[in-house]
Amino acid sequence: MLPNPTLDQLQVFLTVAESGSFSAASRVLNRAQSVISYTIANLEAQLEMPLFERSGARQPKLTEAGRAMLEDARRLMTDLHVMRARVKSLKEGLEAEVSVAISVMVPSQAMVDVLREFRDRFPSVALNLTAGELGMVMDAVQSGKATIGIGGAVLKQDDSILIDKIGHSFMIPVVAANHPLAQIDRPLTLSDVREEVQLVVTDASGLTKGRDFNVLSYKTWRVSDIATKHALIRGGLGWGGLPASIIREDLVSGALVHLDLRAYEQGEYPIYAMRRIANPPGPAATWMIEAFRSRLSACPNHADFTASLSEIRTSEIPLAAE
């Protein structure tokens, strides 16, 4: 017959091993020492192996089998604590899982900061995270795949979706430093970019089918995601708009160049929190929305972003020798 130790036996075993003696364990657990000894004896009988060496030693010492069992016991008790915490959270109304869809327009550092604090505040809540482009966020909320969405591109009215602006971002038209457009030392016109390849992200959600945003070139390469678009632009294969938060370091280093292209609309891109009215968020999801609101409201606008880059470049120009 397979052994079937109880959780109480495992707890006593762990306490003896960690406290160093049967008497110390009895004080920790507030039980008579005879009860501690009896519990360990029963556990050893079930397992059909000794867990402690008792002869010739003032303090019980783990056997080889005891040391092996100790790790298993710790793992099982940890799982039990996690389960107890989850049950407690569920009784208090805390979600078992939060599913969130986040747009690539959300600054990555803000996302990392929010999710790090979320992990620390809600250790028992599982997270299901999806990141994507354009209409993906709204599509995920509408379909029920995400409890909340953090992003932009509100492409159609839906009375079943509650939408709340919580911040902003913006796209900047850029090109690699070695691209022909980067060599033109004047504001660019439409005729300058018409014959150059423009990289454009295709919306996998289908919500923007038949619609293009800031597509100015006759030649377009369509890619599935921002990361690919970023890599191809850095590689000199075309020009296009990218979220400011993604390319700041590239602009500072000079790997990418901001195109002075007035035909490209560079206004602020609103970021919304979205959720289905019929599915209100629980405490963890509500906290996440407010955490994103707090961080995104502190993000710089387009003018401040451009000014900060100019200050960095100016400070890096070496002073002429006197």
Side-chain angles (χ1 to χ4, degrees):
M1 183 176 179
L2 292 175
N4 188 27
T6 67
L7 292 173
D8 182 67
Q9 288 173 332
L10 294 178
Q11 180 64 70
V12 170
F13 168 57
L14 276 175
T15 306
V16 173
E18 292 172 354
S19 64
S21 71
F22 285 61
S23 58
S26 72
R27 290 192 294 272
V28 171
L29 297 174
N30 195 27
R31 301 187 192 181
Q33 185 171 335
S34 59
V35 174
I36 300 296
S37 299
Y38 179 76
T39 302
I40 293 297
N42 279 342
L43 177 60
E44 291 176 322
Q46 280 207 36
L47 299 176
E48 298 181 341
M49 63 178 69
L51 299 176
F52 294 97
E53 295 177 1
R54 299 174 177 81
S55 60
R58 295 183 59 188
Q59 303 294 342
K61 181 180 178 182
L62 285 168
T63 63
E64 185 175 343
R67 287 192 295 272
M69 283 293 301
L70 184 62
E71 296 306 313
D72 292 334
R74 281 177 174 152
R75 184 171 62 253
L76 288 169
M77 295 308 298
T78 298
D79 289 343
L80 176 63
H81 293 324
V82 170
M83 186 186 76
R84 284 172 173 165
R86 183 168 288 119
V87 169
K88 181 175 182 292
S89 297
L90 290 171
K91 285 182 177 179
E92 295 173 351
L94 194 62
E95 309 95 314
E97 178 181 84
V98 169
S99 295
V100 56
I102 299 181
S103 167
V104 294
M105 290 297 293
V106 175
S108 56
Q109 191 56 55
M111 179 179 68
V112 170
D113 289 344
V114 169
L115 296 185
R116 179 183 294 113
E117 190 171 350
F118 177 87
R119 178 200 63 188
D120 296 340
R121 282 177 174 264
F122 306 101
S124 68
V125 179
L127 179 69
N128 186 346
L129 173 65
T130 303
E133 340 284 333
L134 298 172
M136 181 282 299
V137 173
M138 190 170 190
D139 184 55
V141 174
Q142 285 178 321
S143 66
K145 294 178 181 177
T147 308
I148 58 173
I150 306 294
V154 177
L155 304 170
K156 67 176 183 179
Q157 292 299 317
D158 187 335
D159 291 339
S160 69
I161 304 295
L162 183 64
I163 298 171
D164 180 21
K165 182 179 177 182
I166 60 173
H168 63 266
S169 184
F170 44 90
M171 300 281 279
I172 293 181
V174 292
V175 73
N178 60 357
H179 191 279
L181 289 178
Q183 315 310 315
I184 302 176
D185 190 21
R186 58 171 171 77
L188 300 178
T189 64
L190 275 175
S191 61
D192 292 322
V193 300
R194 287 294 197 198
E195 299 301 326
E196 297 291 343
V197 171
Q198 181 178 358
L199 290 150
V200 180
V201 171
T202 299
D203 186 4
S205 74
L207 292 179
T208 61
K209 186 176 182 181
R211 300 169 61 184
D212 284 325
F213 304 91
N214 269 328
V215 177
L216 306 178
S217 295
Y218 294 134
K219 301 176 181 178
T220 58
W221 285 13
R222 296 184 180 272
V223 298
S224 63
D225 57 88
I226 286 287
T228 301
K229 181 179 181 180
H230 184 195
L232 295 182
I233 291 176
R234 277 181 56 98
L237 297 178
W239 73 277
L242 288 170
S245 61
I246 292 177
I247 58 172
R248 187 178 189 281
E249 296 305 317
D250 289 329
L251 292 172
V252 171
S253 69
L256 293 179
V257 175
H258 177 203
L259 296 178
D260 185 1
L261 177 59
R262 294 175 184 175
Y264 190 96
E265 296 182 10
Q266 298 183 54
E268 289 185 359
Y269 183 100
I271 295 177
Y272 304 96
M274 309 177 193
R275 68 169 179 85
R276 295 174 67 191
I277 294 175
N279 185 27
T286 298
W287 177 91
M288 184 181 290
I289 290 172
E290 293 308 311
F292 271 113
R293 187 196 305 276
S294 174
R295 283 160 180 80
L296 294 176
S297 64
C299 290
N301 58 31
H302 186 276
D304 291 340
F305 181 87
T306 304
S308 69
L309 290 176
S310 298
E311 291 175 2
I312 291 172
R313 294 194 191 98
T314 301
S315 67
E316 291 178 347
I317 297 175
L319 297 175
E322 295 183 358

